Amino acid sequence: ADPSSAGNPSLQLIAALIYMHENNIKDALKAIRHGTTMEQLALTIQIYLKMDRPDLATKQVRLMQQADEDATLTQLALAWTYLANGGKKLQEAAFIYEELIDKFGPTTSLLNGVAVANMHMGKFDEAEKTLASALQQGPNDPDTLVNLISCYQHLSKPTELIQRHINQLRTGAPNNPMVQQLNTVEGAFDRVADTYALKD
């Protein structure tokens, strides 16, 4: 490795993103832990949230707020941590996402943020409407499909509708964590069911 590249923020960010994509959280954090750019801080927040450490993520948000409280990336990171912390901050997270939608237009990511906040607050009908908009923008977006499946289950929608979206997710994103978990559970069920199957 080239020692002169060790302090390059762009290379640190790219390395951390690659590690994250490979689900190597430990090395992703190592690659970026001394980062000071807004992008590095935001990715560090995502890593801490993936590690289920909203306390550490919140500390990183404070650093971002000190640098530029009004920056879009700071607002996004704040919304992420509010979602992770839950409780009274959920409504604030929804407001942040809605403000960003007003400012930049609806994207699947922002619409999913609003929907997730609404689902956490028990507003599943509102979440469904928001996810329908997200689905129009990105019909095969894995996050939208996962959130829609969850929303539909809470709304007790027909099994056929839920299964259709599960199949769409399986086809479009076979490596999605939800698909992998479903495959694992279904495989385990099939193995157990085989042990109880009637033998001729």
Side-chain angles (χ1 to χ4, degrees):
D2 180 7
S4 65
S5 65
N8 184 320
S10 295
L11 289 177
Q12 291 172 352
L13 189 65
I14 291 168
L17 285 168
I18 291 169
Y19 286 129
M20 285 284 290
H21 181 74
E22 295 298 318
N23 226 7
N24 185 343
I25 306 303
K26 182 179 175 184
D27 286 336
L29 189 57
K30 279 183 186 178
I32 205 166
R33 71 173 177 258
H34 298 298
T36 57
T37 68
M38 296 293 270
E39 293 80 8
Q40 289 172 316
L41 292 172
L43 186 56
T44 303
I45 290 166
Q46 287 184 340
I47 293 169
Y48 284 144
L49 292 175
K50 192 167 180 94
M51 294 169 56
D52 199 22
R53 291 298 309 266
D55 56 321
L56 297 176
T58 301
K59 288 179 183 178
Q60 295 296 308
V61 169
R62 286 192 203 112
L63 292 175
M64 291 181 75
Q65 288 174 317
Q66 289 171 2
D68 187 353
E69 187 170 11
D70 296 325
T72 302
L73 202 48
T74 304
Q75 293 302 306
L76 270 175
L78 187 60
W80 299 334
T81 56
Y82 283 170
L83 282 179
N85 286 315
K88 296 176 184 176
K89 298 293 184 180
L90 291 170
Q91 187 63 57
E92 289 183 49
F95 286 148
I96 291 170
Y97 283 116
E98 288 168 358
E99 285 177 13
L100 291 172
I101 288 170
D102 289 343
K103 188 173 181 179
F104 298 106
T107 65
T108 55
S109 179
L110 294 176
L111 290 168
N112 272 283
V114 173
V116 169
N118 282 327
M119 285 193 288
H120 279 293
M121 292 185 289
K123 300 176 181 178
F124 293 100
D125 290 327
E126 287 182 39
E128 181 184 15
K129 291 175 191 169
T130 305
L131 290 168
S133 297
L135 202 57
Q136 287 177 344
Q137 288 203 351
N140 293 313
D141 178 64
D143 292 333
T144 303
L145 291 170
V146 167
N147 290 328
L148 197 57
I149 291 164
S150 176
C151 186
Y152 281 171
Q153 288 175 331
H154 283 280
L155 289 171
S156 300
K157 294 286 183 174
T159 305
E160 301 80 32
L161 179 64
I162 296 170
Q163 191 59 49
R164 186 178 71 204
H165 289 293
I166 290 172
N167 292 339
Q168 186 178 354
L169 180 64
R170 278 189 163 130
T171 303
N175 294 325
N176 182 279
M178 182 178 174
V179 171
Q180 292 176 341
Q181 289 173 352
L182 278 172
N183 292 341
T184 300
V185 169
E186 287 174 355
F189 180 82
D190 290 344
R191 284 189 301 280
V192 170
D194 285 346
T195 62
Y196 291 101
L198 293 175
K199 308 285 186 208
D200 287 337

